Amino acid sequence: MKHKITKLTISTSFDVYPSFDALQAEDRELLAKAKKAVKSAYAPYSNFHVGAAILLQNGKIVTGNNQENAAYPSGLCAERVALFYANANYPNVGVKTIAVSVASAHQIINEPVSPCGACRQVIAEYENLFESPIRIIMSGETGKIFVSESIENLLPFMFNKKHLK
Ligand code: THU
């Protein structure tokens, strides 16, 4: 018996801004807060300092940064620190935008930092919970800035709560 194998292609896209100044004012304000949060990251083991700032649907902004630990896996990324803080303190409020920035003690990072797989899954959870797309602003210390209009672009074919019904 012959089986017909087809291919499923999933495409993804970001908006690419040439610099910080090219962003719209609301995004500049949020990314500036993420960059400020970078400064208080606790990252003595990797020296890779990440900051995240979240704009909630009610207009509030919360921030977080990576928190490392001598027992390495006990640490947590900036994105999840900020997202868990947001949903712990504003449990019924959706997330509009998350901005992420970075600084390393070892090199100047001139490419946007991209959330790790676990953070993408957590962003997806809140996007699905509030049924409202979360914009993701990704920045390095300098250089271009990527903006995704939804987690769908970073986590295509995601596992989510719909599969559990
Ligand atoms: N890290 C983040 O906080 N966010 C990311 O998007 C990538 C990685 C942290 C985790 C760890 O503390 C350090 O960066 C190096 O992986």
Side-chain angles (χ1 to χ4, degrees):
M1 189 179 139
K2 254 199 153 185
H3 300 281
K4 184 169 161 35
I5 313 296
T6 58
K7 207 174 278 293
L8 170 67
T9 306
I10 301 175
S11 68
T12 188
S13 74
F14 306 137
D15 291 326
V16 180
Y17 288 78
S19 66
F20 180 88
D21 294 334
L23 292 171
Q24 49 164 301
E26 185 181 278
D27 290 349
R28 273 204 309 274
E29 189 199 334
L30 196 65
L31 184 52
K33 293 217 157 82
K35 285 178 180 292
K36 191 171 175 212
V38 167
K39 295 193 167 74
S40 36
Y42 176 60
Y45 303 105
S46 71
N47 282 310
F48 191 80
H49 299 240
V50 186
I54 292 173
L55 174 62
L56 296 170
Q57 299 284 7
N58 65 2
K60 287 250 178 332
I61 292 178
V62 302
T63 63
N65 42 41
N66 53 332
Q67 298 294 317
E68 295 188 346
N69 194 283
Y72 289 8
S74 301
L76 200 62
C77 295
E79 295 91 325
R80 275 176 290 163
V81 168
L83 285 161
F84 291 155
Y85 178 89
N87 205 50
N89 290 282
Y90 302 95
N92 300 312
V93 185
V95 173
K96 188 173 173 198
T97 310
I98 179 167
V100 187
S101 195
V102 64
S104 165
H106 302 300
Q107 53 173 330
I108 301 280
I109 299 174
N110 57 18
E111 283 190 358
V113 68
S114 177
C116 80
C119 288
R120 292 174 196 211
Q121 187 67 37
V122 171
I123 296 169
E125 183 69 21
Y126 296 122
E127 184 164 305
N128 289 310
L129 174 62
F130 296 105
E131 293 175 350
S132 173
I134 298 180
R135 298 176 63 250
I136 302 150
I137 302 172
M138 293 161 277
S139 149
E141 283 180 81
T142 59
K144 291 182 178 142
I145 293 163
F146 294 167
V147 180
S148 168
E149 291 301 322
S150 159
I151 192 62
E152 296 265 3
N153 295 318
L154 280 89
L155 197 61
F157 199 54
M158 68 180 73
F159 180 79
N160 63 43
K161 64 177 180 172
K162 288 177 211 141
H163 300 112
L164 298 175
K165 274 183 193 150

